[in-house]
Amino acid sequence: MKIEKIPEFKVLIDESKCIRCKICVNECSFGALRYDKKKNKIVSKDWLCVACLRCVAKCPTGAITITRNPISLSPHDYWTERVRRDIWIRAETGSPRLVSMGTNLNYPSIFDHLLLDACQVTNPPIDPLREPIELETYLGDRSISVHSEDPLGLMIEVPIIFGAMSYGSISLEAQKALAKAAKELGTLMNVGEGGLHPDLYPYGDNIIVQVASGRFGVHRDYLNAAAAVEIKIGQGAKPGIGGHLPGEKVTAEISAMRMIPEGTDALSPAPHHDIYSIEDLSQLVYAIKEATDYSKPVFVKIAAVHNVAYIASGIARSGADGIVIDGFRGGTGAAPQVIRDNLGIPIEIAIAVVDDKLREEGLRERVALIASGGIRNSGDVAKAIALGADAVAISTAALVAMGCTLCQHCYTGKCPWGIATQDPKLRARLNVDEAARRVVNLVKAWSTELKEILGALGLSSIEGLRGNREKLRGIGLDELTLKMLGVKPAGR
Amino acid sequence: MSWGARVKPRPEERSRVPDACAIAAVASLSGNLVPGSGIVEMLKAMGPRYNGLGGGFAAYDVYPDFPDNFVLHVMFEDEGSRREFERRLGEKFRVAFSEEVPTRSGVFEEHPITWRYFLGEGGEGFEERVFRFVMAVDEGIDGAYVVSSGRNMAVFKGVGRPDKVAEFYKVESYKAAMWLGHGRYPTNSPGWWGGAHPFNILGLSVVHNGEISSYGISKRYLASKGYKFIFLTDSEMLSYAFDYLLRVEKLSVDEACKVLSPRFWKEIGNGNEFLKRLRIRYQELHVNGPFSIAVGMRINGDLYMLSLTDRLKLRPLVVGMSDDLFMASSEECGIRAIEPNVKKIWRPRAGEPVLVKVKRSEN
Ligand code: SF4
Ligand code: SF4
């Protein structure tokens, strides 16, 4: 056995429970399970198992257990098992390793070092069961005079939207589920750079369409079908890197959406070839505004990188109505591992310094600030908003709600849950209504939790929390980080 | 030479102090000036609402000899600060008259010295010049603090029970068309005289009861518009918020109130485009959390008294009217203390502003 094939996981089948129904064999999209007729039992190729747990969920008798392979590499805290495996894979293939989802490295999480305040005695908490608490959120330019007749931006009912995931990276079923959920919740989903499927046009009022460097699927009707347009400059998981949808995934339908020949690689270049600097961005912003009759807000999405505050201030001057900042933990369908794991900065710091810079420059009211990349729960949402975001965008969390188990193998196109795949057999596994229901539930639950947080803080609307860093305290953060976050240490 | 009492914190000492309080306000409806003893009686009736760590008063139309002059009331910790202040003042403005604000000795063991400076000019852009000067002094001279800076008005305040503060400043010797008063219940005991209420900027003064949960963002917003925060109290922020909305953004008083205490989105609905725009544009100044306030202001020469609560009304506010007077108070007893013959008393609804035009004396 080749050394890189030493399995990470082990499939254990309890033969006393197994009824040989072979469901697991059919369910495993990675080919890890086989029925051996002679032995009359299920046998596994453990090195193919990715611990997606599809078989475990589908086995009618609960016969399957997946464990980490208990073999031990000789322990070394520096040359860890992960480091050694990464070297073996490259030594075998001679290529960069592709990975999916956000970085799985153990970088410190700032969210987990921030605590929220609560009212006691001097100030009454507000009971969300008795008093209305408002989550309605405005996205757009709000520097316009109150007497002006210029169109306003968008009102959404919760400060949570769904992040960009293209048709291609996820299935049409997953996109439809997000569109349905966005509509029911009164919020927005983002179709990424894969064009807009005809089935999604009816959800236009709840859709953000993307203009990315590949310009796939961009035409006038596409822009006008949506509620807002996003220019994608970068993505947290792969800042400075283009995209690559391999030719075998460019099916007839995807080729039609993306307006490229079937079977050809869909290559999104690293830069937009008409944006080599900030003044070019402004031209694209206005080109889109012209094409949509100045009726739709235009957002610009960037990855959180070292100079993010200055970049954001340039974008705010470009005429854009919103900036989406994607932190280094942001997810991806496929990215080179070294890029995903080493580039960018945390979203918490990015939001804080951008909000500060925009206020310092008198630009904050011109743009909405949307934070994404690693938002896991309503606590993260509250903290991101308190640091200065108008809203957050969630993607991984929404997929997990649909059933994704974070096996991190989206790049293979074999998603066993029908989410990150174009295989018709696998796609059929995702029930659009059921997936939408679960995503709606997740956001509803978070909204209730947000109201509880606001009530405890003595706030009757989300705008009282927005940028209100007085409501945050740091624990175990160094002085400089606290200063950048504009947050006091716990106890002050 | 220093007098031992502090007027304001140094930057490294600045921290936010929640407080609770009694607020009181009275305005003339007949044109007869109201003696200072009246506002003191209102506060005395509400003794349990304060703890002796702050009291103060604002008086409008209080200097008949200088009816149109801007007057700066400035507290000093020491002679050096006063000299530095007067040097800077002389560079920027012509002073018509100045004097030390008279006080009674023996009331407070330690206290700062307060001076008043009647400025001898006016006209286009003058308010903005005064505003910038006040901000520069508050931020730039360690031992000096401008307690009031409006036209023909005064703020008297200090660390002590309101009746003692009144005794100290001889408040009973003044008559005014409108008074605001405040008794403070801070949660700790910062000894800064400037930290008592009312807070004033130009013609606008605020007394406040409550704790503003959204303080952090309102402060950041106003700081980015050039306002200097010295005391980090809610009332300091509220005085700036009103000044910004009324003077800089040119909103009406009613519109400004709808910014601070907005209606719920459900009520605004899709129909009221203006209310929607107002709430969106000034979202940082939506004053979230409990408050009740009384505000004195001068707009185009006329005096107004405003009282307002948060939109859930988490702090008390009662208003009352007689033939002569309009009164606002934390509690009804405050109103009855000054006007036993009060004709009408009511409790304004949550977030509903009550704005009264003050009748100014003919002479
Ligand atoms: S699904 Fe379960 S019961 Fe069926 S063959 Fe697999 S292990 Fe056995
Ligand atoms: S979307 Fe599918 S392939 Fe990707 S991590 Fe989730 S379960 Fe795995």
Side-chain angles (χ1 to χ4, degrees):
Chain A
M1 177 177 285
K2 289 221 162 132
I3 191 98
E4 66 275 6
K5 287 202 173 156
I6 293 176
E8 279 190 79
F9 305 103
K10 210 168 166 52
V11 185
L12 305 173
I13 295 175
D14 183 340
E15 288 192 19
S16 68
K17 284 190 180 167
C18 175
I19 53 168
R20 278 73 176 165
C21 69
K22 300 172 206 115
I23 287 178
C24 55
V25 176
N26 288 326
E27 291 292 334
C28 183
S29 52
F30 296 96
L33 298 174
R34 182 171 62 82
Y35 172 65
D36 190 317
K37 228 180 187 167
K38 255 190 252 153
K39 295 183 189 148
N40 184 29
K41 64 180 203 178
I42 306 291
V43 291
S44 60
K45 296 179 186 166
D46 287 347
W47 65 91
L48 291 176
C49 175
V50 301
C52 70
L53 302 195
R54 179 77 188 178
C55 57
V56 176
K58 291 291 156 182
C59 171
T61 64
I64 309 177
T65 307
I66 308 290
T67 65
R68 290 210 65 132
N69 190 354
I71 59 135
S72 289
L73 273 78
S74 176
H76 198 296
D77 284 344
Y78 190 69
W79 296 91
T80 57
E81 177 176 339
R82 174 196 174 99
V83 169
R84 279 174 268 180
R85 283 183 182 278
D86 280 343
I87 290 176
W88 291 331
I89 288 169
R90 287 165 177 79
E92 177 63 23
T93 63
S95 311
R97 183 177 181 185
L98 269 190
V99 286
S100 301
M101 292 301 191
T103 182
N104 55 0
L105 285 177
N106 190 22
Y107 284 105
S109 152
I110 293 175
F111 282 135
D112 294 342
H113 290 83
L114 289 173
L115 293 167
L116 289 153
D117 194 18
C119 296
Q120 296 290 293
V121 185
T122 56
N123 196 346
I126 300 168
D127 188 342
L129 295 175
R130 288 163 191 272
E131 307 284 356
I133 293 185
E134 299 177 303
L135 298 180
E136 282 89 340
T137 293
Y138 173 81
L139 298 180
D141 178 0
R142 53 190 188 88
S143 66
I144 20 181
S145 154
V146 287
H147 301 289
S148 155
E149 309 236 307
D150 293 349
L152 285 170
L154 303 171
M155 278 308 280
I156 50 176
E157 283 171 44
V158 287
I160 299 165
I161 65 174
F162 301 118
M165 288 179 280
S166 69
Y167 178 34
S169 77
I170 60 172
S171 64
L172 183 60
E173 288 68 23
Q175 273 201 342
K176 280 186 189 164
L178 289 170
K180 278 189 114 157
K183 186 168 184 170
E184 189 173 335
L185 291 162
T187 185
L188 301 162
M189 63 87 74
N190 186 319
V191 292
E193 67 165 325
L196 184 63
H197 192 278
D199 289 1
L200 293 177
Y201 274 76
Y203 296 95
D205 286 348
N206 300 91
I207 284 178
I208 303 175
V209 291
Q210 213 178 49
V211 174
S213 61
R215 298 293 149 83
F216 298 122
V218 176
H219 51 88
R220 201 187 158 130
D221 294 346
Y222 167 81
L223 297 175
N224 280 293
V229 181
E230 174 178 284
I231 299 172
K232 178 193 177 185
I233 300 294
Q235 182 179 343
K238 41 180 175 179
I241 293 284
H244 180 190
L245 191 67
E248 52 267 33
K249 286 198 185 172
V250 181
T251 60
E253 205 166 36
I254 288 183
S255 86
M257 286 308 88
R258 297 206 174 202
M259 309 194 308
I260 51 170
E262 199 177 329
T264 54
D265 289 8
L267 286 167
S268 304
H272 285 247
H273 282 305
D274 52 1
I275 303 179
Y276 275 69
S277 183
I278 193 85
E279 65 274 15
D280 298 335
L281 173 69
S282 185
Q283 292 198 31
L284 181 57
V285 169
Y286 282 102
I288 293 171
K289 284 189 178 262
E290 285 289 335
T292 54
D293 237 353
Y294 292 83
S295 66
K296 301 188 192 294
V298 175
F299 301 152
V300 176
K301 176 178 176 178
I302 53 168
V305 290
H306 302 184
N307 262 336
V308 68
Y310 294 92
I311 298 165
S313 129
I315 295 172
R317 287 176 215 278
S318 74
D321 305 284
I323 308 174
V324 181
I325 304 179
D326 198 19
F328 83 116
R329 287 180 191 282
T332 176
Q337 183 190 35
V338 68
I339 300 290
R340 181 195 73 171
D341 287 350
N342 293 287
L343 274 61
I345 64 168
I347 188 61
E348 301 93 321
I349 291 185
I351 284 296
V353 298
V354 167
D355 184 52
D356 279 344
K357 176 98 245 122
L358 294 181
R359 287 188 191 278
E360 194 185 304
E361 305 266 311
L363 296 167
R364 182 62 183 87
E365 292 132 275
R366 282 210 217 158
V367 285
L369 215 52
I370 298 164
S372 70
I375 307 284
R376 299 159 297 176
N377 49 47
S378 56
D380 290 352
V381 178
K383 291 168 189 175
I385 290 175
L387 286 169
D390 286 288
V392 301
I394 59 166
S395 305
T396 301
L399 300 190
V400 172
M402 289 182 196
C404 156
T405 51
L406 228 85
C407 73
Q408 304 161 59
H409 278 71
C410 325
Y411 69 93
T412 62
K414 293 179 184 166
C415 176
W417 305 92
I419 299 168
T421 180
Q422 302 310 323
D423 178 337
K425 258 176 59 199
L426 296 175
R427 281 170 52 182
R429 293 179 179 183
L430 191 73
N431 177 317
V432 173
D433 291 337
E434 174 63 7
R437 183 187 71 85
R438 293 178 62 91
V439 173
V440 167
N441 276 349
L442 174 76
V443 175
K444 278 193 174 158
W446 284 12
S447 300
T448 306
E449 290 164 7
L450 277 176
K451 288 181 185 180
E452 274 163 0
I453 290 173
L454 289 174
L457 291 169
L459 296 165
S460 68
S461 73
I462 191 83
E463 59 243 50
L465 180 62
R466 192 165 288 131
N468 188 353
R469 304 182 192 167
E470 197 63 47
K471 295 295 180 205
L472 292 172
R473 290 293 184 273
I475 175 167
L477 292 171
D478 64 85
E479 212 169 304
L480 213 64
T481 306
L482 284 169
K483 211 174 151 201
M484 262 183 314
L485 293 169
V487 168
K488 291 178 208 155
R492 279 271 176 80
Chain B
M1 169 195 135
S2 162
W3 298 296
R6 302 281 305 278
V7 302
K8 69 181 181 188
R10 302 297 175 264
E12 66 283 2
E13 296 173 308
R14 287 176 199 167
S15 71
R16 188 162 144 70
V17 180
D19 52 15
C21 333
I23 63 170
V26 53
S28 174
L29 298 178
S30 62
N32 296 329
L33 293 176
V34 184
S37 54
I39 188 83
V40 178
E41 288 309 314
M42 287 185 82
L43 287 169
K44 270 186 169 170
M46 296 186 278
R49 298 193 71 89
Y50 46 84
N51 63 3
L53 292 175
F57 306 90
Y60 285 80
D61 276 4
V62 68
Y63 293 125
D65 296 342
F66 298 94
D68 293 319
N69 297 69
F70 277 77
V71 47
L72 305 181
H73 278 225
V74 191
M75 277 182 186
F76 301 107
E77 276 174 21
D78 50 54
E79 262 310 303
S81 307
R82 188 170 73 90
R83 273 199 299 272
E84 171 64 8
F85 171 82
E86 291 189 353
R87 186 186 65 73
R88 292 204 199 179
L89 182 69
E91 279 173 7
K92 302 270 184 205
F93 298 99
R94 193 170 61 73
V95 177
F97 176 70
S98 68
E99 64 175 351
E100 187 177 334
V101 173
T103 54
R104 262 192 196 94
S105 56
V107 182
F108 291 111
E109 233 165 74
E110 287 179 345
H111 56 81
I113 301 296
T114 307
W115 276 66
R116 52 193 171 209
Y117 302 86
F118 295 86
L119 306 183
E121 310 156 65
E124 193 68 8
F126 190 68
E127 275 199 318
E128 181 61 28
R129 277 175 58 205
V130 174
F131 172 78
R132 276 199 235 123
F133 181 72
V134 171
M135 290 295 121
V137 170
D138 288 352
E139 188 69 14
I141 305 179
D142 274 350
Y145 179 66
V146 183
V147 289
S148 65
S149 49
R151 185 192 301 260
N152 190 1
M153 58 86 55
V155 166
F156 307 103
K157 63 182 183 180
V159 177
R161 278 201 334 263
D163 49 321
K164 270 188 88 178
V165 172
E167 195 186 340
F168 176 68
Y169 286 107
K170 305 183 178 181
V171 163
E172 80 286 348
S173 68
Y174 297 91
K175 286 179 162 182
M178 168 165 63
W179 287 93
L180 308 182
H182 191 261
R184 190 175 183 212
Y185 196 137
T187 47
N188 69 357
S189 47
W192 299 298
W193 279 55
H197 301 217
F199 273 85
N200 163 279
I201 182 71
L202 300 171
L204 198 137
S205 311
V206 176
V207 287
H208 158 261
N209 170 24
E211 183 179 335
I212 291 167
S213 317
S214 54
Y215 176 83
I217 183 55
S218 303
K219 184 212 150 189
R220 287 183 71 211
Y221 181 75
L222 290 164
S224 77
K225 311 283 181 201
Y227 291 88
K228 305 288 182 215
F229 286 79
I230 309 294
F231 290 99
L232 310 189
T233 63
D234 293 343
S235 353
E236 179 184 47
M237 187 278 284
L238 284 166
S239 64
Y240 292 161
F242 272 108
D243 179 64
Y244 179 69
L245 293 172
L246 298 176
R247 183 175 59 87
V248 181
E249 294 292 281
K250 308 245 179 301
L251 297 187
S252 71
V253 175
D254 190 56
E255 288 162 1
C257 291
K258 290 204 166 69
V259 169
L260 300 182
S261 256
R263 300 322 300 158
F264 288 90
W265 283 117
K266 282 215 168 66
E267 298 168 87
I268 293 173
N270 284 327
N272 203 322
E273 187 68 12
F274 182 73
L275 283 185
K276 187 174 172 187
R277 285 176 186 266
L278 208 54
R279 190 166 169 188
I280 287 170
R281 177 170 163 119
Y282 301 107
Q283 62 168 262
E284 286 95 338
L285 294 180
H286 169 183
V287 179
N288 235 294
F291 74 89
S292 64
I293 53 174
V295 186
M297 55 189 129
R298 191 186 298 273
I299 299 172
N300 301 329
D302 289 320
L303 288 177
Y304 294 89
M305 187 174 115
L306 167 74
S307 40
L308 179 71
T309 66
D310 63 276
R311 61 186 189 159
L312 300 178
K313 200 165 181 185
L314 297 169
R315 282 290 189 275
L317 181 74
V318 189
V319 297
M321 236 171 106
S322 67
D323 290 338
D324 283 345
L325 301 176
F326 184 87
M327 295 142 293
S329 174
S330 293
E331 295 181 28
E332 189 174 327
C333 60
I335 295 177
R336 297 203 181 272
I338 184 176
E339 183 59 288
N341 302 324
V342 59
K343 273 197 173 152
K344 197 178 155 204
I345 285 194
W346 74 100
R347 287 160 180 76
R349 288 168 54 97
E352 219 171 71
V354 180
L355 183 69
V356 174
K357 187 169 173 185
V358 181
K359 180 98 164 77
R360 302 180 63 198
S361 166
E362 302 300 322
N363 35 42

